[in-house]
Amino acid sequence: MLMGNASRRFDDPPSTLAKNRIMSNTIRVMICDDSAVMRRILTTVLSEDAELEIVYAAQHGRDALDNLDQAKPDVVVLDVEMPVMDGIQTVAAIRRKHRTLPIVMFSSLTSRGAEATFEALSAGANDFATKPSGVGHLGQAVDIVRKDLLAKIKGLVHARRRLSAVGNSRITLSPAVTRPAKSGGPISLVAVGVSTGGPKALSEILPCLPVDLPVPVLIVQHMPAVFTGLLASRLDAISSLSVKEAEDGEMIRPGGVWIARGDWHMEVSRFGTDTRISLNQNEPENSVRPAVDPLFRSVARVFRDRALGVILTGMGKDGLDGCRAMRQQGASIVAQDQATCAVYGMPRQVIEAGFAESVLPLEQIADEITRRVRCGSARSLAASR
């Protein structure tokens, strides 16, 4: 049903789509969930924000599709499990009509919900937020949704609008803010930080890395605990490298990829000649755990100028302090460009601070990682002769 008039009863049937009075900067939101309680929670949260306007509340995917063109949303918040047409089918159908319309999946924090969410992301959804579960009262549920969902809605819509405003032009590095890399040893580790749009970005990068990559790869992806293990399994299935969820005390080795465990910060520590993963539940940084900054700072301490940092799509500034620490030790940083980011937040912070040596579209990043790692190994071999 159309939600332009706040006085309309929430669960009135979607009869006539009324015209909405909107400002040009208003974000028009379509919500789609078969639960009347969850629709009410979403309405409560989104209606509190003056920047957001709910233009339609659908009860299942077919309902959403039938009213999509008339409602003209800027973003769709979509349940995963619904009757008539589920979230995965709905995402695929929306993508056939609207290639860039932001879609946020709203899923339960369970193994089944995580599996379905990844299917939806593969079908073209941009991001996901987790439904509140096990909370004592409606107020708690509202707080959880407010914390997890609002920033993602705004980040995705603002990113799309900014990209449209610049005509999809590529953002290139300005020589005025670029610092050349210090001359260091061969690269011994690749550290990756990513958030919104990460599963898709990683699924494009990791399969393109060679099976004989002579260094380990450590990845922090902002995700809850249930999701990171599934992400690792899915990436392992499509990659020639071994991909797994990190375990505390695990020794890292060349040719392996480790995904930070949800709700745990991941760092690296030196034990004699071995380098091992250290997990901790220290306070969240940049409002997230795991965070990119703790990993990158530890990489700077342990590997100094022999590391390569990669900052991919994501909102916020997580990774900025870590990239600063890595650059101070002479390490190199590669950042994803604006045109291929789902949200140009984390890379933008790093690029504008002058820490990125290379700013590349997503499709070139795997080759750049391979080139830099192999180039450093070749230099090291030549020097030893």
Side-chain angles (χ1 to χ4, degrees), residues 267-269 294-304 325 329:
E267 301 180 354
V268 290
S269 301
L295 173 63
F296 278 31
R297 289 195 300 265
S298 71
V299 167
R301 290 193 301 268
V302 174
F303 288 90
R304 301 175 69 85
Q329 296 297 329

Side-chain angles (χ1 to χ4, degrees), residues 320-340:
L320 177 62
D321 288 344
C323 285
R324 178 182 293 108
M326 290 183 67
R327 288 293 282 149
Q328 287 172 346
Q329 296 297 329
S332 299
I333 304 294
V334 173
Q336 185 178 348
D337 74 351
Q338 180 177 5
T340 60

Side-chain angles (χ1 to χ4, degrees), residues 194-269:
V194 61
S195 184
T196 307
K200 181 178 183 296
L202 295 172
S203 69
E204 293 191 31
I205 291 174
L206 292 188
C208 295
L209 296 177
V211 66
D212 60 345
L213 190 75
V215 300
V217 179
L218 299 183
I219 299 171
V220 169
Q221 160 75 63
H222 297 161
M223 270 187 171
V226 175
F227 288 79
T228 50
L230 183 57
L231 174 64
S233 297
R234 284 176 164 257
L235 292 173
D236 184 62
I238 62 174
S239 305
S240 57
L241 300 171
S242 171
V243 185
K244 69 186 300 291
E245 191 179 43
E247 298 179 28
D248 189 44
E250 193 171 5
M251 184 172 70
I252 59 175
R253 63 187 186 281
V257 180
W258 286 264
I259 308 286
R261 187 176 295 270
D263 202 34
W264 292 79
H265 292 309
M266 178 171 67
E267 301 180 354
V268 290
S269 301

Side-chain angles (χ1 to χ4, degrees), residues 54-279:
I54 300 177
V55 293
Y56 195 79
Q59 300 179 26
H60 50 71
R62 173 50 58 191
D63 185 12
L65 287 173
D66 287 346
N67 292 286
L68 192 65
D69 289 340
Q70 289 174 281
K72 294 181 172 58
D74 296 309
V75 61
V76 178
V77 178
L78 190 62
D79 187 18
V80 175
E81 300 180 44
M82 295 179 292
V84 184
M85 178 180 282
D86 66 24
I88 301 168
Q89 296 169 320
T90 307
V91 169
I94 291 175
R95 280 291 167 258
R96 287 193 290 270
K97 298 180 66 175
H98 301 280
R99 187 176 62 85
T100 62
L101 176 64
I103 302 172
V104 180
M105 304 310 297
F106 197 47
S107 65
S108 58
L109 193 59
T110 64
S111 296
R112 180 179 175 181
E115 184 73 47
T117 300
F118 275 104
E119 292 295 335
L121 292 171
S122 299
N126 300 86
D127 201 3
F128 69 95
T130 54
K131 288 187 175 182
S133 61
V135 296
H137 54 80
L138 183 63
Q140 285 181 297
V142 166
D143 288 341
I144 291 171
V145 174
R146 183 186 296 115
K147 179 180 179 181
D148 196 29
L149 184 60
L150 289 183
K152 293 182 178 182
I153 288 174
K154 293 182 180 182
L156 287 168
V157 173
H158 291 161
R160 185 189 186 202
R161 288 176 175 176
R162 280 195 297 267
L163 198 56
S164 297
V166 298
N168 294 328
S169 62
R170 300 279 185 187
I171 304 301
T172 56
L173 207 63
S174 167
V177 299
T178 304
R179 295 188 300 171
K182 299 175 183 177
S183 178
I187 291 172
S188 300
L189 177 136
V190 176
V192 181
V194 61
S195 184
T196 307
K200 181 178 183 296
L202 295 172
S203 69
E204 293 191 31
I205 291 174
L206 292 188
C208 295
L209 296 177
V211 66
D212 60 345
L213 190 75
V215 300
V217 179
L218 299 183
I219 299 171
V220 169
Q221 160 75 63
H222 297 161
M223 270 187 171
V226 175
F227 288 79
T228 50
L230 183 57
L231 174 64
S233 297
R234 284 176 164 257
L235 292 173
D236 184 62
I238 62 174
S239 305
S240 57
L241 300 171
S242 171
V243 185
K244 69 186 300 291
E245 191 179 43
E247 298 179 28
D248 189 44
E250 193 171 5
M251 184 172 70
I252 59 175
R253 63 187 186 281
V257 180
W258 286 264
I259 308 286
R261 187 176 295 270
D263 202 34
W264 292 79
H265 292 309
M266 178 171 67
E267 301 180 354
V268 290
S269 301
R270 187 80 76 189
F271 292 88
T273 59
D274 296 336
T275 303
R276 297 183 180 272
I277 290 172
S278 298
L279 302 181

